[in-house]
Amino acid sequence: MNIKYYTGTLVFSRQYAHRVNHWRKRQWCISQVTSEYLMRMEDVLDVYDLPYDPRHPVICLDERPCQLLGDTVIPLPMTPGQPTKEEYQYERHGVCRLFVAVEPLAGRRVAQVRPRRTKEDYAAFMQALAAQYPQTERLRVVQDNVNPHTAGSFSQAFDPATAWALKQRFECHATPPHASWLNMAEIELSAIARQCLNRRIASLDELEREVLACVKERNEQQRRITWRFTTPDARVK
């Protein structure tokens, strides 16, 4: 094998760059494409293909955990030619949950920072989401297929009359297992994370202020999401 040595490091020549590195691996979400998977996928894609209807808006909902981290030493501010310097050690102040719902065709989103991810937290966020759309007949919600994302959460959080009235406001569509990439809310969460979750935030209140400021700015700019993967594309693949 044509191998060169440089300052103690093993360097391979270009002609061997295409070879398989058996010691390398990456984690990936590997889906089992069953008939149930295909039906749920096409259901979500058909919802995305609907024309804009303000009486029945399509909304994508997702959530993500957020760590609350504080500094043990006050960071050194940036100077010309030098980045901010922070101590590698940090203090843990617990975790919380960021809930986000985005209406891709209207460029509108709603967010809440909740202390936990229980059925009550999900129900409270859905109630807040419904309150943002008082004039709509029903909200078409695309969400991941996880335990709290059911109408039973409304019954656990509210009295029967309130839970039933809230259930009537939603038409829910679940993504297949291991197919959260079909949920456009993940795109919105990624944008929010790049803008305001890329640093240490020590308290839930501070995190909420940062997230809501980011959401307010994106709503004012009416940042829309253009989805290009359709049912015919899925059938070809």
Side-chain angles (χ1 to χ4, degrees):
M1 180 181 294
N2 185 7
I3 298 177
K4 299 178 182 179
Y5 289 89
Y6 176 71
T7 63
T9 301
L10 190 64
V11 180
F12 293 90
S13 297
R14 185 180 298 274
Q15 63 263 36
Y16 294 100
H18 68 280
R19 290 197 172 184
V20 176
N21 298 324
H22 299 283
W23 60 91
R24 297 183 63 186
K25 65 179 179 179
R26 292 180 62 187
Q27 289 187 337
W28 200 256
C29 183
I30 303 174
S31 303
Q32 299 295 323
V33 182
T34 63
S35 57
E36 179 70 17
Y37 181 102
L38 293 174
M39 286 298 99
R40 288 194 182 186
M41 178 178 65
E42 292 195 5
D43 175 59
V44 171
L45 294 177
D46 287 346
V47 170
Y48 288 165
D49 198 40
L50 293 172
Y52 178 68
D53 183 356
R55 297 174 305 167
H56 304 89
V58 174
I59 297 172
C60 300
L61 182 150
D62 202 3
E63 56 188 83
R64 63 165 285 171
C66 297
Q67 291 193 77
L68 301 175
L69 305 176
D71 292 304
T72 58
V73 178
I74 298 176
L76 299 177
M78 69 174 65
T79 57
Q82 296 292 329
T84 301
K85 298 181 177 66
E86 64 181 14
E87 169 67 28
Y88 72 92
Q89 290 185 337
Y90 54 84
E91 293 178 338
R92 285 179 53 87
H93 297 280
V95 295
C96 59
R97 206 78 183 181
L98 171 58
F99 287 79
V100 169
V102 58
E103 187 182 352
L105 296 180
R108 182 181 182 185
R109 66 272 300 144
V110 178
Q112 268 191 3
V113 178
R114 309 283 308 178
R116 296 178 298 168
R117 183 215 185 191
T118 63
K119 292 184 176 181
E120 289 82 0
D121 289 294
Y122 168 75
F125 179 71
M126 294 294 276
Q127 186 181 50
L129 175 62
Q132 294 294 318
Y133 292 84
Q135 305 302 322
T136 59
E137 295 179 6
R138 178 168 282 201
L139 307 178
R140 296 185 174 111
V141 177
V142 175
Q143 58 187 358
D144 290 350
N145 184 29
V146 294
N147 289 336
H149 293 181
T150 65
S153 298
F154 304 156
S155 297
Q156 186 161 324
F158 307 117
D159 61 86
T162 302
W164 180 254
L166 188 59
K167 179 182 180 298
Q168 303 312 303
R169 295 296 313 280
F170 298 106
E171 173 191 314
C172 294
H173 301 264
T175 60
H178 296 279
S180 57
W181 58 272
L182 282 167
N183 191 341
M184 279 192 270
E186 283 208 345
I187 300 174
E188 185 64 28
L189 279 172
S190 177
I192 293 174
R194 289 195 304 270
Q195 186 165 338
C196 65
L197 301 181
N198 56 355
R199 55 191 177 276
R200 293 175 185 170
I201 298 178
S203 70
L204 189 146
D205 290 339
E206 182 184 357
L207 179 66
E208 187 173 48
R209 286 195 302 270
E210 295 285 344
V211 168
L212 294 182
C214 174
V215 167
K216 180 176 182 294
E217 179 183 358
R218 292 178 62 79
N219 280 338
E220 290 173 349
Q221 296 171 352
Q222 292 186 327
R223 295 290 184 89
R224 296 177 174 85
I225 300 174
T226 302
W227 185 262
R228 301 187 184 279
F229 190 66
T230 63
T231 299
D233 295 331
R235 289 176 179 174
V236 170
K237 287 185 177 297

